[in-house]
Amino acid sequence: YTTGDLPGAERAFSSAMEGGASDAWTAELNLAVLLYRRGERTEALGVFDRFIDYDNQSSKLSSKDLTAVGAACRYLGVNDPELFKDALKAYDEAAAVDPTDMEPKLEAGELFLAKYNSPDAHETFKEVLGVNERHPRALLGLARVLHFDGSPQAIELTRKALEINPDSSEAHTNLGA
C-alpha cells in the first residue's frame, strides 16, 4: 500500500482476512481504508461499521483490535461526529490493554490534531516520545502540532524525524508545507 501497489495491497489484505491471520482485523481495516481512499466510500463505510459490531459482540479485544475499532470510528465520524469520541475511547482502551503498544496513542494524537485540538495532540505525542524519544511518527506528529501552533521548531523536529526515517513521505511533505 505504502509503495503504491494498490492491487497488490488489496490482494494481501484479502488473503490475510480469508486465511484467518492473527492480524485479520487490521487487514480488514486496511482494506476498508484502501476502498475509502479509492472513492468506494459506501462499501468502505459498511466495513467500518462492522467494527462497531465486532466491538459490541466481543468481551475481550487485543490492543490492535481496539485500535482498529478506533480507526473505523474515526472514519465513520465523517457522518456522525459523535463517533470521534468513540474512537478516542477505543484508543484509550487499547493503550490500557497494552501500554507498550504506541499505535493507539499515535492514532489518538493524530485525531486530536485533525480536530484542531493542539494541546491534547501535543500531550499525546509527548507521551510517546517519553517512551521512545526517537519515534519518527511521534516526532512528526509533534512537528505538525508545532507547525499548527506557529512554532519554528516544527522544521527542526521534522528534520529529526527524517534523519530517523529518510523515506517518510509525510515528513518530506511536512517540510514542503
Side-chain angles (χ1 to χ4, degrees):
Y1 182 82
T2 59
T3 63
D5 180 9
L6 301 185
E10 187 171 0
R11 284 190 302 276
F13 297 148
S14 295
S15 176
M17 289 166 46
E18 292 164 8
S22 63
D23 62 348
W25 275 27
T26 302
E28 186 172 6
L29 174 73
N30 289 335
L31 180 59
V33 169
L34 187 148
L35 294 171
Y36 188 89
R37 291 184 178 166
R38 194 166 59 197
E40 298 174 44
R41 302 234 163 128
T42 301
E43 184 177 349
L45 291 173
V47 175
F48 292 136
D49 196 47
R50 286 199 302 260
F51 279 83
I52 293 175
D53 296 336
Y54 297 154
D55 186 33
N56 291 334
Q57 295 168 3
S58 300
S59 59
K60 184 169 170 126
L61 298 177
S62 71
S63 178
K64 291 193 183 318
D65 293 341
L66 287 163
T67 301
V69 169
C73 288
R74 184 175 175 183
Y75 276 92
L76 290 167
V78 171
N79 292 331
D80 181 0
E82 286 297 311
L83 288 171
F84 292 127
K85 293 177 187 174
D86 290 343
L88 289 172
K89 180 180 174 204
Y91 294 145
D92 286 345
E93 289 175 8
V97 167
D98 183 359
T100 65
D101 185 0
M102 295 295 106
E103 186 66 20
K105 290 199 177 293
L106 292 165
E107 291 287 329
E110 290 169 359
L111 178 55
F112 283 132
L113 187 57
K115 295 295 145 199
Y116 308 104
N117 183 340
S118 173
D120 285 341
H122 187 274
E123 180 181 322
T124 304
F125 290 125
K126 288 295 273 187
E127 283 180 43
V128 174
L129 292 169
V131 174
N132 177 359
E133 66 185 25
R134 294 182 42 84
H135 195 293
R137 192 164 152 207
L139 286 167
L140 182 57
L142 186 56
R144 290 176 56 222
V145 170
L146 293 174
H147 178 77
F148 177 82
D149 292 341
S151 171
Q153 289 179 310
I155 294 171
E156 179 185 329
L157 276 182
T158 302
R159 286 187 178 134
K160 188 173 181 180
L162 275 170
E163 286 174 16
I164 297 164
N165 181 7
D167 296 327
S168 172
S169 59
E170 291 175 344
H172 285 287
T173 301
N174 206 51
L175 272 182

